[in-house]
Structures are given as C-alpha cells and as structure tokens.
Amino acid sequence: MKAAICPGSFDPITNGHLDIIERASHLFDKVVVGVFVNTVKTPLFSLEERVNFIKLAVKDNLKVSNVEVESFDSLLVDFAEKHGACAIIKGLRAVSDFEHEFQMAQFNQKLDPDVETIFMMASSQYAYLSSSAVKEIAKFGGCVKGLVPSDAEEGLRKFFKDRRRGCN
Ligand code: PNS
C-alpha cells in the first residue's frame, strides 16, 4: 500500500490545500493530512479546531475515503515513517514558495532518504491563495467565501465577528 503525507499548519485549511489533498488521494492508496503542532508560531485556531476543519472539509467536500487527518509534534519524516508513507506531498504556488520548500525537501531527504518529497502545482484558481491572506481578509471584514471550506469560513467569521462587513 502506497501512503503519502500532506503536512502543514493549516491555520486554517484553504480550498487550495483541499485541492492538493484531493488530487493526492487519487495518486496514493492512503493520504494522511498531518497538522503540525507548531510551538514557534501562535496559530489563530487551536490544534483541535484546525484538525476538525480539515476532517469536516474532507467529509463534506471530497468524494474519497482514503484520507485521514492527524496532528503531529515530531519531525515530519518520523510522522511519515509512523504511517509507512513513502512520500510527502507539498503544493507549490508561485516561484516564491520554491526556495523555502526546496530547503525543507532537502532537509527531509537528508533526514530520511526513503521518503520522497513530491511537489504538486497549485490549480490556477488557487494559485494566489494562502491561509495568511485569508486571515487578513477576514480580520478586516472581507468576504472569504470560496477561499476556505465552509466550517473554516464560519470559524473565521466567529473569531472576527465584531468587525465583520460580510459577503454580498
Ligand atoms: O503550512 P506550513 O507552516 O508551511 O507547514 C510547515 C511544515 C509543518 C510542513 C514544516 O514546518 C514541518 O515539516 N515541520 C515538522 C518539523 C520538521 O520535520 N522539520 C524539519 C524539516 S524542515
């Protein structure tokens, strides 16, 4: 069985992430979405919320049964080994993603040469999308409909509710 890991902070998951997860699920027998417990960054959403948004989005939006969601607070390659995964799947948007992703891929290759990093190009409709931009838009009352799955949209709305301008 070929398994792959889709790792990230997912604060929150976007429709761009979901697109990569779905496309990866067509290529592997099992895809584990790994939500990193990042002690350096302070996320907007708790780990539980981030995991829950992804689980709901996978259940409601993807017609696949081979995607699991789990948090991890270890090296990514160790999380991959725990799941018997042979690949780490990363989405690439613009050239600006490349340098950082290339560096992480090289570290991971050094840490475990048996786990291959595979880059998937973002679909064009999501090429501009990022969790940070979505949070900023929501913070200032902009509409994030269509950018994030509905439960994450609701979560953002609740978090920033006092300043909400709303969608047309
Ligand atoms: O969504 P992000 O914040 O870009 O995801 C980054 C993530 C979680 C993929 C990266 O920080 C990671 O793999 N962390 C696990 C710790 C690790 O293995 N670090 C060494 C490789 S750089």
Side-chain angles (χ1 to χ4, degrees):
M1 187 173 77
K2 294 269 185 213
I5 306 291
C6 283
S9 303
F10 301 107
D11 185 37
I13 183 169
T14 68
N15 285 342
H17 293 132
L18 201 55
D19 178 61
I20 296 287
I21 293 164
E22 180 174 32
R23 287 161 53 201
S25 76
H26 297 153
L27 300 174
F28 290 87
D29 300 309
K30 184 172 88 163
V31 168
V32 181
V33 181
V35 184
F36 184 49
V37 183
N38 197 336
T39 49
V40 178
K41 286 189 200 167
T42 307
L44 188 81
F45 293 108
S46 69
L47 181 64
E48 194 180 34
E49 287 172 313
R50 286 181 282 144
V51 167
N52 202 34
F53 289 151
I54 303 169
K55 283 187 175 170
L56 290 168
V58 168
K59 181 167 75 72
D60 296 344
N61 301 320
L62 306 190
K63 294 183 186 70
V64 297
S65 55
N66 60 338
V67 175
E68 296 172 10
V69 186
E70 196 178 305
S71 62
F72 72 104
D73 63 354
S74 64
L75 282 176
L76 179 53
V77 290
D78 291 340
F79 185 66
E81 192 188 346
K82 175 184 159 192
H83 287 280
C86 61
I88 292 165
I89 307 290
K90 290 297 203 76
L92 267 191
R93 290 164 302 185
V95 180
S96 53
D97 277 343
F98 183 78
E99 199 170 327
H100 181 57
E101 292 296 344
F102 185 59
Q103 185 189 36
M104 284 199 286
Q106 290 193 315
F107 275 127
N108 287 327
Q109 189 177 47
K110 178 155 180 45
L111 290 165
D112 189 342
D114 294 333
V115 180
E116 198 68 52
T117 298
I118 298 176
F119 291 109
M120 293 177 71
M121 301 312 296
S123 297
S124 56
Q125 71 265 40
Y126 302 124
Y128 62 94
L129 195 49
S130 72
S131 298
S132 316
V134 164
K135 282 183 280 192
E136 188 157 299
I137 293 167
K139 178 178 175 182
F140 293 109
C143 179
V144 296
K145 201 176 174 63
L147 304 182
V148 292
S150 57
D151 291 283
E153 186 193 339
E154 183 60 23
L156 285 162
R157 191 180 298 125
K158 277 193 184 137
F159 192 90
F160 295 116
K161 67 176 180 296
D162 294 342
R163 308 186 214 189
R164 185 173 165 253
R165 196 175 56 213
C167 300
N168 295 322

